[in-house]
Amino acid sequence: MRYGRLRDMSMKTLETLTFDNAALRDLPVDTSSQNVPRQVKNACFSRVDPTPLSSPKTVVYSSSAMRLLNLPQSELDRKEFPSYLCGSKLIPGAEYAAHCYCGHQFGYFSGQLGDGATMYVGEVVNNELERWEIQFKGAGKTPFSRTADGRKVLRSSLREFLCSEAMFHLGVPTTRAVSCVVSTDTVVRDVLYDGHPINEKCTVILRIAPTFIRFGSFEIFKSIDRLTGRHGPSVGKTDILKQLLRYTKTRFYPDVAGDVEEEDTVVAMYREIMERTARLAAHWQTVGFCHGVLNTDNMSILGLTIDYGPYGFMETFDPGFICNGSDKGGRYSYEAQPAICKWNVKKLGEMFALEVSQEKLDQVLQSWEQVFEIEYNKLMRRKLGLLTEGSDDAELISKLFATMRETHSDFTTTFLLLQSFDLLEDFKSDEAVNQMLTNCLSIEEVTKTLKPTYSKADCAALLQIINQFSLASGNEAGFNPLARYGIEVDSVLRDHQIHQDLESFGKMTADDRDKQCREKWRDWLQLYKDRVQVECDKTNDPNYRQTRIDLQRKSNPVVVPRNHILQRAIDRAELGDYSLARRLLEVFEQPFEKPAEQWLAERDVGDKGACTVT
Ligand code: AMP
Ligand code: MG
C-alpha cells in the first residue's frame, strides 16, 4: 500500500476554501446580470464574471496574507494558481459580483461610481472562523466601469500590493493583498497624460478585508444633490438602507449594544465608525502617509486604509505635501487629511440621518478632535520614546514638526536619528545636534525641492482675493472664495510661504544655513531633553534609557515605501524581473527590524534618507 504525502489538514487548497457569501445573501442583488455600463437601481451588488486573461504569471504573493485564508505556500507551485488568482479559472464556491456605491469626489457628489475595476469574489471563513472578503482588482469590466476597461496595470497593482502589506506591518489599519498576477494581455495607458499612450500589461491583485463596504456604499440613497444635480441610484429605498445598516452592525459591529432598529444603536455604531476613522487619520499623520484621494468612496466603514492610488510617504517634511498630481488645490494634502476625514464622516452621517436623528449624529462628530488628538499624541509619544504623559506634550510635538519643516528634514529619518544618541549625555557635547544636521537639506537641495504651484505674482493676486473676500464675509471660518476654481486657501498660503523661503534662501550662505539648522535643532532638543530629564528623575526604572530606546525602536520604521524605491521595483518588474518587488516585500514585512545604527551606517547619503535595497 502506498501512502500519499502527509498533508496538514488545517491547510486548504484554492478548490477547498470554505466560502460563505453572506453579503450576497443579506443584501439585495441586482435582478439583471447585463454587463454593460448602466445605473444599478435598488441593489447593493450586481453579479458579473471576471474576464479571463492570457498566460497569467505570479509576480509576488504575501505568505502571511495567504495564511489568513489557510493557503499554504505549496499552492503556489501549482500551475493553476495564477489562473485562479486573476479570474481566468473560477474558484469553486466563489460568487463574483460588483458592489454598487456612490461618492463625493473632491467635494462634489458624483452619483453612482461602484466597483468599476474591482470585484467581490466571496467570503472565506478560515479555521479560526475569521471571515475574509476576497476581491479582485483589475479582473475586467463591470456595469460600473463606465467608459473605462476594468483593468489595472503592473505599476498600479504593485504599488497597492506592496504598500498595503507594508502598512499592515507598520501597524496601520489597512486592507491586505494576497497576490499580484500579470498577464501577457495589454491595455493602453497614457501614463503622463501627455498624449503618448503605451501598452501596459494587465495585472490583477487579490486583496482581502473583513469587508470593502465604504462610506459611499451608503450614498446610493442620496437624494438630488444641490450642486451637481445627481442622486444615488437607490434614492428613497429606506428598506435597503435598513438592510445595509443591519448587515454592517451584525457582521462588523457586533459589540455595539442594542438592535439596529433602535436609534441609539445606529448612533453608537456611527460613533464607533467616527472613532476608528479618527484613529486611522492619526496613524497616517504619524508615519507621514498621504492617501491622495480621500473621496467618500475611498473611506472604509471599518476605518481601514483602502484603495491605494497616487499615495505617497512624505520624505522632506512639508505639511502641505500633495501626492496626487491632479489635486492642484491641495484638498487632500498631508495636513488636510484629518479635517477631510472628518468631513467624510459627516457625509456618512447625512446618510445615517435618513434613519436616525441628525442632531444626535452631529453630536457624535463633536468628539472628533478629541479622539484624533488622544490617538495622535499617544502614537507620537511612542515615537519619541516617552513613557508617561506630560502636560506640554502637544506643544513639544508641534514644535518638533515646525523644526522639521524649517530645517527640511526627512520625516522617517528624523525619528531614527532621535534614537541614535543618548539624549541626556550627547546633548552637552553637541553630538545630538550634529546628528540631526545630517538630515537637513542644504540650500541647493531646498531650492530644488520647493516647487510652488503658483508664480509669485499669481500667488500675491490670489492672496489679495482671499483677504478681500474673507473680510467681506466677516472672516467666516472655512470660507473659500476660490472654491469654484478648485483652489484651496491653504495651498495659496503654502505657496506664499515657499516664495518667502526661496527669497530668504537666495540671500543665505552655506554657513548661514548650517547655523540656522543648528539653532533650530538645538532649541528643540533642549525642550526634548528637559522633558526626558524630568521623566528620568521621576522613574524607578533602572533601565530607563534602554526602555525608552526599545519603545522608539518598535515605533519608528527603518523603511517605508518611498516612491523612488517602489519605482525601481516597478521598472524592473516591467522588464520581467520580479526579484526586487519580492525583496521589497520581505523588507516591508519587517519595517522595524534593523538596528538604527546599522541602518544609519549604510545610509545612502546621495539619496537622502533612502534605504538601499538591492
Ligand atoms: P478610484 O479613484 O480608484 O477610487 O476610482 C473611482 C471610480 O473609478 C470607481 O468607481 C472605480 O471603480 C472606477 N475605476 C477606476 N479605475 C477603473 C478602471 N480601470 N476601469 C473601470 N473603472 C475604474
Ligand atoms: Mg476607489
Side-chain angles (χ1 to χ4, degrees):
M1 190 176 161
R2 290 178 62 200
Y3 293 93
R5 260 175 65 200
L6 280 181
R7 203 165 71 80
D8 178 353
M9 294 311 284
S10 64
M11 284 300 182
K12 301 276 186 184
T13 63
L14 279 161
E15 291 88 352
T16 60
L17 289 171
T18 308
F19 277 96
D20 178 46
N21 305 328
L24 300 187
R25 265 198 323 271
D26 295 356
L27 296 170
V29 177
D30 184 16
T31 48
S32 162
S33 50
Q34 259 205 317
N35 194 0
V36 291
R38 62 194 168 89
Q39 288 287 299
V40 173
K41 293 184 181 170
N42 311 333
C44 294
F45 285 94
S46 196
R47 288 185 194 271
V48 63
D49 285 329
T51 311
L53 283 170
S54 318
S55 328
K57 276 199 175 55
T58 308
V59 176
V60 58
Y61 64 89
S62 157
S63 317
S64 64
M66 279 175 69
R67 270 199 300 279
L68 296 172
L69 305 179
N70 303 124
L71 288 173
Q73 283 205 32
S74 56
E75 274 300 273
L76 283 163
D77 299 332
R78 298 175 49 199
K79 63 177 186 323
E80 299 92 333
F81 185 84
S83 303
Y84 277 128
L85 295 184
C86 71
S88 291
K89 204 166 158 52
L90 301 182
I91 305 173
E95 292 180 85
Y96 303 86
H99 175 46
C100 181
Y101 57 81
C102 292
H104 276 83
Q105 299 182 303
F106 288 87
Y108 295 97
F109 187 65
S110 306
Q112 176 180 295
L113 295 169
D115 282 343
T118 47
M119 202 176 279
Y120 172 96
V121 175
E123 291 160 63
V124 170
V125 181
N126 70 12
N127 294 336
E128 286 70 45
L129 300 183
E130 289 167 347
R131 178 180 293 270
W132 289 98
E133 182 177 321
I134 62 178
Q135 226 192 31
F136 282 150
K137 190 163 181 174
K141 282 186 188 171
T142 77
F144 306 104
S145 300
R146 290 169 285 172
T147 53
D149 53 22
R151 293 297 188 194
K152 291 288 162 187
V153 296
L154 198 47
R155 74 196 140 79
S156 60
S157 300
L158 265 182
R159 278 175 59 82
E160 168 147 355
F161 179 93
L162 290 170
C163 192
S164 64
E165 283 305 281
M167 291 283 264
F168 169 74
H169 293 282
L170 286 169
V172 183
T174 179
T175 61
R176 305 274 316 259
V178 171
S179 55
C180 174
V181 166
V182 69
S183 158
T184 46
D185 296 344
T186 57
V187 279
V188 175
R189 289 287 185 270
D190 189 355
V191 191
L192 301 171
Y193 305 101
D194 63 353
H196 294 96
I198 52 165
N199 283 319
E200 294 195 61
K201 286 185 186 133
C202 295
T203 317
V204 178
I205 57 168
L206 183 86
R207 57 182 198 174
I208 63 173
T211 181
F212 289 90
I213 300 276
R214 302 128 193 278
F215 290 7
S217 307
F218 287 85
E219 294 186 301
I220 62 170
F221 310 105
K222 185 171 163 31
S223 57
I224 199 145
D225 183 77
R226 210 166 38 90
L227 291 171
T228 64
R230 300 201 173 111
H231 61 77
S234 293
V235 56
K237 285 288 176 184
T238 46
D239 51 332
I240 304 181
L241 169 58
K242 279 198 180 104
Q243 254 176 296
L244 189 55
L245 283 168
R246 177 169 293 284
Y247 170 75
T248 309
K249 154 81 180 79
T250 327
R251 298 277 171 195
F252 311 111
Y253 288 96
D255 295 339
V256 170
D259 188 273
V260 80
E261 288 292 326
E262 294 155 24
E263 181 168 80
D264 285 351
T265 308
V266 176
V267 174
M269 180 164 82
Y270 182 66
R271 174 176 295 281
E272 187 63 32
I273 296 167
M274 179 280 281
E275 290 186 358
R276 285 197 200 189
T277 310
R279 291 198 293 265
L280 174 68
H283 266 284
W284 290 344
Q285 300 309 95
T286 56
V287 292
F289 174 80
C290 204
H291 181 285
V293 204
L294 286 176
N295 295 332
T296 54
D297 52 302
N298 291 335
M299 299 291 297
S300 150
I301 203 79
L302 297 183
L304 307 171
T305 315
I306 189 173
D307 281 7
Y308 292 80
Y311 67 82
F313 270 83
M314 190 152 13
E315 305 211 18
T316 301
F317 181 69
D318 169 12
F321 174 63
I322 302 165
C323 61
N324 179 351
S326 53
D327 181 13
K328 300 286 180 224
R331 180 178 169 85
Y332 299 141
S333 72
Y334 167 80
E335 68 188 337
Q337 293 190 126
I340 281 293
C341 287
K342 181 183 175 187
W343 189 88
N344 288 336
V345 175
K346 186 171 177 331
K347 289 287 145 198
L348 177 68
E350 288 171 15
M351 295 301 103
F352 279 26
L354 297 172
E355 273 300 295
V356 300
S357 147
Q358 178 79 66
E359 216 180 313
K360 286 190 182 175
L361 296 163
D362 287 347
Q363 228 160 21
V364 167
L365 209 54
Q366 282 180 12
S367 321
W368 169 275
E369 280 77 14
Q370 196 192 6
V371 178
F372 173 81
E373 270 156 33
I374 289 175
E375 186 71 8
Y376 178 78
N377 290 333
K378 184 182 90 186
L379 293 169
M380 282 307 301
R381 265 196 296 273
R382 280 190 206 158
K383 287 176 82 73
L384 293 175
L386 299 172
L387 309 175
T388 54
E389 273 183 50
S391 53
D392 297 331
D393 288 351
E395 197 187 337
L396 180 75
I397 294 162
S398 76
K399 283 191 171 157
L400 166 63
F401 281 109
T403 308
M404 285 161 69
R405 190 189 71 73
E406 287 158 351
T407 61
H408 302 91
S409 295
D410 180 89
F411 191 107
T412 306
T413 310
T414 297
F415 295 96
L416 292 170
L417 288 171
L418 289 177
Q419 71 197 47
S420 69
F421 45 75
D422 181 342
L423 186 58
L424 301 183
E425 283 305 311
D426 294 338
F427 184 73
K428 291 179 211 142
S429 66
D430 248 11
E431 178 52 29
V433 178
N434 289 341
Q435 278 289 350
M436 299 318 290
L437 286 188
T438 63
N439 190 37
C440 305
L441 294 192
S442 67
I443 297 176
E444 293 73 38
E445 287 166 328
V446 176
T447 328
K448 253 194 277 168
T449 314
L450 292 182
K451 288 202 183 79
T453 311
Y454 309 106
S455 69
K456 199 174 167 188
D458 285 352
C459 192
L462 289 170
L463 257 186
Q464 206 171 7
I465 296 172
I466 292 168
N467 288 336
Q468 270 172 9
F469 278 84
S470 297
L471 211 61
S473 77
N475 288 321
E476 185 192 324
F479 175 74
N480 179 8
L482 301 169
R484 74 175 70 178
Y485 307 107
I487 299 172
E488 298 290 328
V489 173
D490 281 349
S491 70
V492 179
L493 296 178
R494 174 174 178 252
D495 272 13
H496 178 63
Q497 179 70 46
I498 290 179
H499 286 298
Q500 281 189 336
D501 285 353
L502 284 173
E503 209 172 299
S504 71
F505 284 128
K507 296 176 194 145
M508 245 187 220
T509 64
D511 279 352
D512 293 337
R513 170 69 174 163
D514 185 79
K515 195 163 161 254
Q516 180 199 38
C517 294
R518 195 170 280 281
E519 274 169 17
K520 303 245 176 239
W521 274 113
R522 192 181 288 123
D523 287 352
W524 185 78
L525 285 167
Q526 176 79 54
L527 290 178
Y528 185 34
K529 184 194 100 91
D530 292 347
R531 166 72 171 83
V532 170
Q533 187 70 63
V534 171
E535 191 172 81
C536 180
D537 294 343
K538 271 201 221 152
T539 181
N540 294 321
D541 181 359
N543 295 319
Y544 174 71
R545 177 165 188 241
Q546 195 55 45
T547 314
R548 283 197 62 228
I549 289 198
D550 289 346
L551 179 61
Q552 282 174 287
R553 287 238 167 101
K554 11 181 234 229
S555 316
N556 295 302
V558 178
V559 278
V560 291
R562 294 172 189 263
N563 265 345
H564 59 94
I565 298 183
L566 294 175
Q567 195 54 48
R568 259 187 273 170
I570 291 165
D571 291 344
R572 286 209 209 160
E574 280 174 344
L575 299 173
D577 171 8
Y578 310 133
S579 58
L580 185 52
R582 292 172 185 175
R583 171 85 186 104
L584 268 185
L585 176 65
E586 283 171 13
V587 172
F588 293 152
E589 282 176 338
Q590 300 188 320
F592 306 101
E593 206 52 18
K594 231 184 209 183
E597 286 79 359
Q598 189 191 336
W599 176 82
L600 287 166
E602 288 175 13
R603 197 149 55 113
D604 177 357
V605 183
D607 220 353
K608 283 258 179 214
C611 172
T612 323
V613 180
T614 48

